[in-house]
Amino acid sequence: MSERLHTGRVLVVEGKYDAARLAGLTDAMILLTGGFAVFSDKKRQRLLKQLAEQNGLILLTDSDKAGFQIRTYITNLVGEEHVVQAYVPAMPGKERRKAAPGKEGLLGVEGVPDEVILRSLRQALGSEADQPAAPRTGRAVTYTDLYDWGLSGTAGAAERKYRLLGALGLPPRLSKKEMLEVFNRLYTFEQLDELLKTAEQA
């Protein structure tokens, strides 16, 4: 298999099976649209805008009509200057987990061979491919910090996490891994620690 792709951009895909597949091919932060759910999820839209401005996005959607609708919507939402477009070819077939092919009979991102996905990402990124992310200022947030802040692994963590994500205007259903990645894209440890102290005093 080809070497993993390194990029500081955020990779946007449609669903969890696409994300699971891409996690083995790149160290990029991967964010889901939840299919068409992104059209009505205001918090996920806001997060996409923030990440697009700060890091830039790579859009990798299925090659069917729905994939192109989602791609066009996000590009218009965040501004095409913040996006690079990666395309998988229209390959007939079905994913192994599915009983029947999709409506258009095409493989989704999760079903396309690794080398095809990596080639499409490298072509989209051009000279940016394998460039390290810009250096951070301030300390990164860790899983230990999430525990210390009472956002993971402690009594009442789910409620505190939901409340904080709501206060920050972030999607409340972010997984622990997504939450950590989003925090590290948008904040330093020091900024978040200060926000949490202020919230506790309010």
Side-chain angles (χ1 to χ4, degrees):
M1 193 186 84
S2 303
E3 210 173 300
R4 291 179 91 211
L5 175 77
H6 306 287
T7 176
R9 285 184 182 260
V10 175
L11 177 57
V12 179
V13 296
E14 292 180 52
K16 63 181 181 180
Y17 293 104
D18 299 331
R21 179 71 195 291
L22 269 295
L25 301 179
T26 176
D27 60 3
M29 174 185 169
I30 301 171
L31 197 63
L32 313 184
T33 70
F36 287 143
V38 72
F39 294 175
S40 56
D41 187 336
K42 299 297 182 197
K43 289 186 174 176
R44 191 157 293 263
Q45 290 170 20
R46 196 178 307 127
L47 176 57
L48 283 165
K49 285 181 185 175
Q50 285 179 285
L51 291 170
E53 286 175 18
Q54 196 148 322
N55 302 99
L57 305 181
I58 315 171
L59 291 187
L60 182 64
T61 59
D62 292 349
S63 55
D64 58 7
K65 182 181 176 184
F68 273 84
Q69 286 176 320
I70 292 166
R71 181 188 294 276
T72 302
Y73 178 83
I74 293 173
T75 302
N76 291 336
L77 175 76
V78 306
E80 61 183 334
E81 69 275 16
H82 298 303
V83 177
V84 295
Q85 308 283 353
Y87 299 95
V88 291
M91 300 173 72
K94 75 170 186 70
E95 286 75 22
R96 272 180 289 188
R97 68 182 176 84
K98 294 181 179 176
K103 195 159 58 173
E104 295 178 35
L106 300 173
L107 286 174
V109 167
E110 64 167 292
V112 175
D114 290 355
E115 61 273 15
V116 174
I117 291 175
L118 283 167
R119 186 165 61 243
S120 74
L121 290 173
R122 289 185 190 282
Q123 284 172 344
L125 287 164
S127 60
E128 264 189 54
D130 295 314
Q131 292 296 315
R136 300 179 49 83
T137 55
R139 171 163 94 64
V141 180
T142 67
Y143 283 114
T144 304
D145 296 326
L146 298 184
Y147 178 82
D148 290 343
W149 288 329
L151 300 174
S152 170
T154 57
E159 187 186 329
R160 277 191 293 275
K161 170 191 156 186
Y162 191 90
R163 206 164 51 235
L164 174 65
L165 292 175
L168 295 174
L170 296 171
R173 290 184 180 81
L174 290 176
S175 68
K176 185 165 73 169
K177 181 174 184 290
E178 285 177 321
M179 181 169 66
L180 186 69
E181 287 186 322
V182 167
F183 283 171
N184 277 315
R185 293 289 174 148
L186 299 178
Y187 304 98
T188 62
F189 165 82
E190 293 80 5
Q191 288 169 330
L192 262 182
D193 196 46
E194 190 59 38
L195 280 169
L196 283 156
K197 284 174 183 165
T198 304
E200 283 169 13
Q201 290 161 7

